[in-house]
């Protein structure tokens, strides 16, 4: 069994790995219109402070942002749709050894209906969690959804038995276990003391949290960490803790107090983390946004410069002569800029004159930008997901062949989504409902 020291060492090592990806994620977030709060790991976060800032503040060319939105929405349609008849629970081959399929059919139909009802319940939050999950898959390559029991359902005060939450690269650390699956997960919560006591009660909390509650320090945020990992002494043949595959721990990530104050046991991963593109030797996933970041950055730069050039063509920077070397010692080349030159250097001519040749950005706008934008949308699989090229007339055979090729081109990506998100999430939901 992992000791407290081992868990802390694991958590610290995963933070180092996470930090290596942080700069890349932040750079991607500038161009896809999805804000990351990577300071959430170190401090109490800055998302609330920048919530009113435009999400496209750094975006001059919107191709990457639009591609993320389109591909993410279509992925949701493929994976879950409207939620009706999304999956069927069927007997395992071990169950079939005990009874016939006909004998179990009604029971499994009932279980399927119940699982879909609670997963699709409006208050469960699955549809709300799935949208940012899908956008993060195409932007950063790593995201997840957690499934937890709703204690209010147990108390018969609410109708939804399940509660779902989304997780992203700005608040979650992951590592791989057997088979390359993301079996080790730590996620950070910055909570005020009232919420902490409401979740766990006072008994067993670290002294720093108890003191904060007793001193009524209700405005301060405390960084709590929840982590789970495979149990070393797991044995499916026994009951109790050893019969659960994963051990969960809660601790306060303070400078001098990181003692575990709560443990939990899970039969399945409570948070299913998925990687859009899996590269050898990397526990985090990659996405089109991370793999072609240089191209996205280049197009954004070129379009931004072209916009400035077009602006200057309509409102060119001008110069005029006066008695000073420069009017304010600044050579102003911006649109509508005015620079004052010393009258002694005048050779006659117009008193007001353009400072320099603006140039013509038409070559960039007509060829290079469309060319690179086509590559960006291809990398995001927008052409395959939305099939824009199918407008031409085709025979029925050609349509079927195109559909089959399109499906095969997406199969690798969709299998990854099935194996790392959908199957674990459904299994977790069913086990929460029936265990």
């Amino acid at each position: 069994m992992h000791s407290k020291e081992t868990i802390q060492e694991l958590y610290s090592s995963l933070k180092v790995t996470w930090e290596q990806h942080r700069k890349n994620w932040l750079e991607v977030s500038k161009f896809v219109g999805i804000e990351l709060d990577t300071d959430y790991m170190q401090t109490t976060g800055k998302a609330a402070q920048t919530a009113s800032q435009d999400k496209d503040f750094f975006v001059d060319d919107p191709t990457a942002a639009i591609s993320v939105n389109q591909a993410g929405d279509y992925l949701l349609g493929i994976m879950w749709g409207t939620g009706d008849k999304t999956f069927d629970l069927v007997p395992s081959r071990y169950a079939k050894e005990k009874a016939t399929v006909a004998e179990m059919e009604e029971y499994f139909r009932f279980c399927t209906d119940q699982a879909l009802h609670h997963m699709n319940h409006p208050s469960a939050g699955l549809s709300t969690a799935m949208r940012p999950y899908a956008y993060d898959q195409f932007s950063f390559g790593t995201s997840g959804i957690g499934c937890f029991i709703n204690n209010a359902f147990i108390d018969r005060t609410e109708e939804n038995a399940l509660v779902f939450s989304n997780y992203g690269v700005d608040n979650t650390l992951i590592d791989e276990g057997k088979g390359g699956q993301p079996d080790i997960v730590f996620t950070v919560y910055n909570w005020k003391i009232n919420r902490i006591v409401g979740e766990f009660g006072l008994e067993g909390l670290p002294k720093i949290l108890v003191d904060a509650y007793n001193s009524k320090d209700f405005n301060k945020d405390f960084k709590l960490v929840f982590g789970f990992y495979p149990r070393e002494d797991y044995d499916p043949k026994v009951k109790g803790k050893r019969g659960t595959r994963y051990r969960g721990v809660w601790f306060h990530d303070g400078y001098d107090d990181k003692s575990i104050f709560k443990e939990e046991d899970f039969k399945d991963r409570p948070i299913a983390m998925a990687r859009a593109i899996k590269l050898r030797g990397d526990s985090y996933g990659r996405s089109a946004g991370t793999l072609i970041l240089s191209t996205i950055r280049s197009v954004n730069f070129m379009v931004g410069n072209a916009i400035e050039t077009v602006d200057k063509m309509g409102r060119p920077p001008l110069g005029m002569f006066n008695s000073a070397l420069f009017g304010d010692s600044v050579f102003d080349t911006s649109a509508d800029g005015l620079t004052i030159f010393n009258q002694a250097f005048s050779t006659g001519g117009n008193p007001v004159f353009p400072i320099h040749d603006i140039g013509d950005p038409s070559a960039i706008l007509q060829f290079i930008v469309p060319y690179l934008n086509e590559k960006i949308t291809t990398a995001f699989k927008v052409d395959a997901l939305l099939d824009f090229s199918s407008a031409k007339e085709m025979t029925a055979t050609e349509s079927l062949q195109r559909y089959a090729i399109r499906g095969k081109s997406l199969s690798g990506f969709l299998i990854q989504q099935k194996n790392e998100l959908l199957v674990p999430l459904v299994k977790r939901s069913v086990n929460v409902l029936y265990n």
Side-chain angles (χ1 to χ4, degrees), residues 21-34:
H21 294 271
R22 180 187 184 192
K23 182 179 179 181
N24 199 27
W25 290 330
L26 282 173
E27 191 70 10
V28 171
S29 70
K30 293 179 181 179
F31 305 114
V32 298
I34 297 178

Side-chain angles (χ1 to χ4, degrees), residues 14-170:
L14 293 184
K15 286 177 71 175
V16 173
T17 304
W18 175 88
E19 190 68 41
Q20 295 170 355
H21 294 271
R22 180 187 184 192
K23 182 179 179 181
N24 199 27
W25 290 330
L26 282 173
E27 191 70 10
V28 171
S29 70
K30 293 179 181 179
F31 305 114
V32 298
I34 297 178
E35 183 180 15
L36 280 184
D37 188 14
T38 56
D39 289 319
Y40 196 86
M41 285 287 188
Q42 277 73 27
T43 62
T44 57
K46 295 182 180 179
Q49 303 172 27
T50 60
S52 61
Q53 179 176 297
D54 291 341
K55 303 305 179 187
D56 63 347
F57 184 81
F58 297 98
V59 176
D60 289 310
D61 179 80
T63 303
I66 293 172
S67 297
V68 165
N69 187 275
Q70 290 179 329
D73 286 346
Y74 197 81
L75 176 62
L76 286 180
I78 293 175
M79 289 200 309
W80 203 253
T82 60
D84 296 330
K85 299 179 180 180
T86 306
F87 61 84
D88 287 308
L89 300 178
V90 297
S92 67
R93 64 177 183 269
Y94 304 108
K96 292 177 183 178
E97 294 175 359
K98 305 292 184 181
T100 65
V101 174
E103 292 173 326
M104 297 181 288
E105 184 177 5
E106 184 176 349
Y107 171 76
F108 276 91
R109 186 185 301 117
F110 170 80
C111 292
T112 300
D113 290 341
Q114 287 297 305
L116 285 171
H117 168 76
H118 286 286
M119 293 182 74
N120 290 320
H121 195 286
S123 299
L126 178 58
S127 60
T128 303
M130 274 191 159
R131 190 171 291 274
Y133 162 84
Y135 294 160
D136 282 2
Q137 282 289 293
F138 286 100
S139 299
F140 313 109
T142 303
S143 56
I145 298 177
C147 174
F148 303 94
I149 184 68
N150 181 17
N151 291 322
F153 176 81
I154 298 175
D155 297 334
R156 293 293 186 265
T157 58
E158 293 183 8
E159 295 181 352
N160 54 299
L162 305 175
V163 175
F164 296 91
S165 299
N166 67 282
Y167 297 86
V169 293
D170 49 356

Side-chain angles (χ1 to χ4, degrees), residues 25 81 138 143 150 153 198 208 229 378 402 414 431:
W25 290 330
F138 286 100
S143 56
N150 181 17
F153 176 81
I208 187 174
Y229 50 86
T378 299
R402 181 181 181 86
L414 295 178
N431 283 327

